[in-house]
Amino acid sequence: MKTEFYTVTDPVRDREILARAAEIIRQGGLVGFPTETVYGLGASALSADAAAKIYAAKGRPSDNPLIVHVAKPEEAEQIACVPPVFYKLAQKYMPGPLTVIMPKRSCIPDGVTGGLDTVAVRCPAHPVARALIAASGVPIAAPSANRSGCPSPTAAAHVLRDMDGRIEMILDGGPCEIGLESTVIRLTEDGCEILRPGAVTEWMLSQVCDVVTVAKAVIDPSLAGDKPLSPGMKYKHYAPAAEVVLVDADEAGFAAYVRDHCTTEEAVAVSDDKAVEFAPLRVLSCGMHDTAEEQSRTMFALLREADDRGCKKIYIHLPPAEGSYLALYNRLIRASGGKIVRIGKTH
Ligand code: TXA
Ligand code: MG
């Protein structure tokens, strides 16, 4: 199949391209599209056949359910049994990087939810994503648009690399602003539980829910077990071909470890403002400054770049497992297969 590729900068000006993409979705085809978190691989959420094509294109196990995207929070009613707390969350954080798991309605086929009786609902903020859903007139099931096991795509070029010839169309809406996937929560009696951390943090959720907990597997993926709350928890995710070496140390300890170990075939990931300290080692940039937001935005592209440049190993300073760093921590321990080098600490 030939994959069509279009740049979409303005949903109004580019409405003919969006109309064509929407037609592909309605006909049961696949479209790669931008969201504020990562690029999604979209298909009609009302069609089991279309969902099956997503799994085939990604090479993804079919028990790992898909997130269903809607153009407006109230459209969640059409696909899920929506409790009042959803609207409280929606008022503060939607459209945005938050996915809520709720009991599903029968219009959503089992093939979309991996046989679960719940559905994960998200209303993305990216104008191109919202315009595509609205133009399609159907909710859009979309996982991240990477081949299963590869880092999620944060630019259209990543989608093209992974999906060229496997899907009908890719919409290029520029680089993703957030760079890590949405926060996934399930609702509990008195609040919610974070199954996958993202840019909507534990603290932000506690502004709406009385009790917010974090699933144990978020910090320690080995705890996901055989029947995890979220099937995606059990897979090794986001892994580049390069070995990711996570170093748990203070700044000086990290720099000393890297200088001792990093060879010319390997690289270190640091922000631009620290790069000079590591010369002449090979440096991959994780943003201008050392902030959670910049590292989150750049990390997946950095892991892909490590492979493009043939790095055998990449040394990364382990972020704290809390606050706005929790999502990054969670993705990095998965990328490293759970291995952490601890320095000067007795764990
Ligand atoms: O930011 C995002 O959420 C991106 C963009 C494209 O919207 N999408 C995304 O989808 O990351 P995906 O398929 O790569 O990850 C979906 C996660 C998986 O870990 C899956 O197991 C979980 O959500 N999930 C989906 N439906 C679920 C359900 N009904 N119950 C529990 N977990 C669910
Ligand atoms: Mg994914």
Side-chain angles (χ1 to χ4, degrees), residues 131-145:
L132 175 65
I133 304 163
S136 302
V138 291
I140 293 186
S144 48

Side-chain angles (χ1 to χ4, degrees), residues 9 104 120 183:
T9 40
K104 84 171 183 75
T183 305

Side-chain angles (χ1 to χ4, degrees), residues 6-8 13-23 132 169-171:
Y6 296 106
T7 302
V8 180
R13 206 192 57 200
D14 297 322
R15 58 186 174 276
E16 281 176 22
I17 298 169
L18 281 163
R20 195 164 149 53
E23 184 58 24
L132 175 65
M169 186 186 279
I170 295 169
L171 299 177

Side-chain angles (χ1 to χ4, degrees), residues 238-257:
Y238 322 115
E243 182 187 346
V244 172
V245 180
L246 281 182
V247 183
D248 184 11
D250 59 19
E251 293 228 0
F254 174 68
Y257 183 87

